[in-house]
Amino acid sequence: MNPHLILSVVSKLLIPVIVVFGFYVQFHGDFGPGGGFQAGVILAVAVILYALIFGIDEAQRAVPPVAIRYGAALGVLLYAGVGVAAMLMDGAGEPLNFLDYDALHPDQGHHTGQHYGIMLVEIGVLLTVSSVMLSVFYAFAGRIPDIADEDW
């Protein structure tokens, strides 16, 4: 019998709830407290809990380190790309403003460009934060200890 049966069963029930809550914080960030940073940490916590219960090797099979590196790079590129796109789409004769979201959508009356821009930026922050948190965790969890378990 598995000595960690209760932990594995409870974590299998808890991890999907953590992920759903992370996405709730991400997509509710436009209307209240929260957003990409908090959601990124919450999603990383779900993978870290999985690694603590089932082992670092299982976690790295579920979320490979190469996907984390691509996620961090893609998040930064998305964040910067929204800013550059806003600069390039800005009206002629006006100063170019980095992350001026109104330039992203022509309907200036309802500021729909603001909604699109902040959502894309927050998704970029989510990708970057969760990827960096997981890469730090993988780096520390995957290190070889200085003292063997028998020597304690």
Side-chain angles (χ1 to χ4, degrees), residues 2 4 7-19 41-64 68 134 137-138 141:
N2 184 0
H4 304 292
L7 287 176
S8 63
V9 169
V10 170
S11 67
K12 284 181 182 180
L13 293 172
L14 210 63
I15 288 171
V17 174
I18 293 171
V19 171
V41 172
I42 292 169
L43 291 179
V45 163
V47 177
I48 291 170
L49 175 63
Y50 185 81
L52 290 175
I53 301 299
F54 299 104
I56 190 72
D57 295 330
E58 284 293 320
Q60 287 181 340
R61 272 196 284 283
V63 183
I68 292 173
L134 286 176
F137 175 75
Y138 282 173

Side-chain angles (χ1 to χ4, degrees), residues 118-139:
I118 196 66
M119 185 55 68
L120 289 172
V121 163
E122 292 293 336
I123 289 172
V125 171
L126 166 93
L127 283 170
T128 303
V129 168
S130 62
S131 298
V132 169
M133 291 288 295
L134 286 176
S135 66
V136 169
F137 175 75
Y138 282 173

Side-chain angles (χ1 to χ4, degrees), residues 99-119:
L99 294 177
D100 181 14
Y101 304 129
D102 280 332
L104 297 175
H105 195 270
D107 183 15
Q108 299 292 326
H110 292 96
H111 298 289
T112 50
Q114 293 284 330
H115 181 72
Y116 295 151
I118 196 66
M119 185 55 68

